[in-house]
Amino acid sequence: MNMALSRGLRCCQRVFSWIPVLIITAVVLWSYYAYVFELCLFTITNTLEKVAYLLMFHICFVMFFWTYWKSIFTPPATPCKKFQLSYSDKQRYDLEERPDAQKQILVEISKKLPISTRAQSGAIRFCDRCQVLKPDRCHHCSVCETCVLKMDHHCPWVNNCVGFSNYKFFLLFLSYSMLYCVFIAASVFQYFFKFWVGDLPNGPAKFHVLFLMFVALMFFISLMFLFGYHCWLVAKNRSTLEAFSAPVFISGADRNGFNVGIRKNLEQVFGENRRLWLIPVFTSQGNGHHFPLKNHSSASQNPLLPNEDMWDESDDGSEEGSLGEFTSVFVMCRIAYTCSVVSVRVFLYIQV
């Protein structure tokens, strides 16, 4: 009975967790209708202005939707099998009742792994739920019920954990959301003013244009503060969790332990190829399990790091992943082009 109730509650929780995403989607779809049809097709009379607005709007819309999709549906990266306890180690750990002895077992296992951070108590960070040694910057998400690499926070607006695998997408989502709002507000303003003073006749378009202006400004102001905060985090190479609780190293807590300079901090998130910085394809450096440290001298004194070279990284499927990313770029460009062409054809059809 209790198990059935627990499953039912989890199911309800998963359903309700999509409500914020549905709200955002509904607002965006309404903004598409209000801008494309009520403003561009039914209110604006200048043909050149219509075509220019429709083209720019669809570029902003596709980039916004693309980054939002990637933020939502990119699975959180989790620790690889090398950080999981082997069967024999798990037996040793479970059978040992003394906490000090359990800590020593974890220390012995961690010597084979590139781990440089500790728990607040100084012990090796270990997740009892996932049964893994936590890599640097990895945390357990109680909502996703898994350990997430370089976890930043769990965002209800994307119904996903923001971490190593999708942090770039989340930042681009914020930036393109702001661009979307700014473009709408800037292009709508003159018609908003004309409706406001009565230069344009009352009709269904009036409500949509006026409300479109208010919604765009409201979302822009909210996003501006959030985007600014995350820009500061990227510049300092901190996650939201690390901004509130400094990571602990052998030498003690250090909020700037992973800060290796603004340029390298940016490259860790966006990659070295700057032409791909503004495109939502995965280009972040590393594999999310270990990160360069600010003080390399202190890192060399860390007894957990000498065997880092022994830890073999797995790059399986990297070529297939890159091919898939560039294919998605082509597909989204085709979608933007098709939407613009369809809008123009609808306009020409209405004119006829």
Side-chain angles (χ1 to χ4, degrees), residues 78-96:
T78 57
C80 66
K81 293 182 178 179
K82 293 183 176 69
F83 286 83
Q84 296 176 357
L85 294 182
S86 65
Y87 180 77
S88 58
D89 290 333
K90 189 175 184 305
Q91 277 193 323
R92 286 172 56 204
Y93 183 82
D94 292 338
L95 293 175
E96 185 59 64

Side-chain angles (χ1 to χ4, degrees), residues 27-232:
V27 171
V28 172
L29 291 178
W30 165 79
S31 71
Y32 183 91
Y33 166 79
Y35 192 92
V36 172
F37 291 93
E38 296 294 344
L39 178 67
C40 290
L41 299 182
F42 301 146
T43 302
I44 300 177
T45 56
N46 186 289
T47 303
L48 183 61
E49 186 180 4
K50 282 188 180 188
V51 174
Y53 279 4
L54 286 172
L55 180 62
M56 292 300 298
F57 173 80
H58 280 98
I59 292 175
C60 294
F61 178 81
V62 168
M63 294 307 297
F64 162 80
F65 187 78
W66 187 6
T67 54
Y68 192 41
W69 178 277
K70 296 285 283 187
S71 299
I72 296 172
F73 294 106
T74 300
T78 57
C80 66
K81 293 182 178 179
K82 293 183 176 69
F83 286 83
Q84 296 176 357
L85 294 182
S86 65
Y87 180 77
S88 58
D89 290 333
K90 189 175 184 305
Q91 277 193 323
R92 286 172 56 204
Y93 183 82
D94 292 338
L95 293 175
E96 185 59 64
E97 297 180 354
R98 295 171 299 170
D100 291 339
Q102 287 182 328
K103 291 180 181 179
Q104 188 58 38
I105 293 173
L106 295 179
V107 169
E108 293 175 3
I109 299 171
S110 66
K111 290 180 179 179
K112 304 175 184 177
L113 302 169
I115 297 176
S116 58
T117 55
R118 297 288 186 100
Q120 294 292 335
S121 62
I124 299 298
R125 301 194 311 137
F126 179 73
C127 181
D128 291 317
R129 297 179 183 179
C130 299
Q131 293 291 296
V132 297
L133 279 76
K134 293 180 181 179
D136 295 343
R137 317 183 82 172
C138 176
H139 299 274
H140 184 89
C141 176
S142 58
V143 180
C144 296
E145 298 181 343
T146 187
C147 284
V148 178
L149 295 179
K150 197 187 176 184
M151 180 177 172
D152 188 87
H153 69 288
H154 185 91
C155 180
W157 297 107
V158 300
N159 192 27
N160 197 5
C161 251
V162 177
F164 175 76
S165 62
N166 63 349
Y167 189 54
K168 176 189 174 182
F169 306 146
F170 180 74
L171 291 175
L172 291 180
F173 161 63
L174 295 180
S175 60
Y176 283 118
S177 298
M178 291 176 58
L179 179 63
Y180 184 72
C181 293
V182 167
F183 175 76
I184 288 178
S187 57
V188 164
F189 178 75
Q190 61 173 316
Y191 298 97
F192 167 84
F193 183 75
K194 289 179 180 179
F195 275 120
W196 190 267
V197 299
D199 289 347
L200 290 175
N202 292 332
K206 179 178 182 179
F207 164 79
H208 290 286
V209 171
L210 294 179
F211 199 55
L212 196 60
M213 185 72 181
F214 286 120
V215 171
L217 289 176
M218 180 184 67
F219 274 93
F220 172 75
I221 293 172
S222 302
L223 290 166
M224 181 176 62
F225 290 104
L226 182 60
F227 181 69
Y229 176 66
H230 277 280
C231 287
W232 177 78

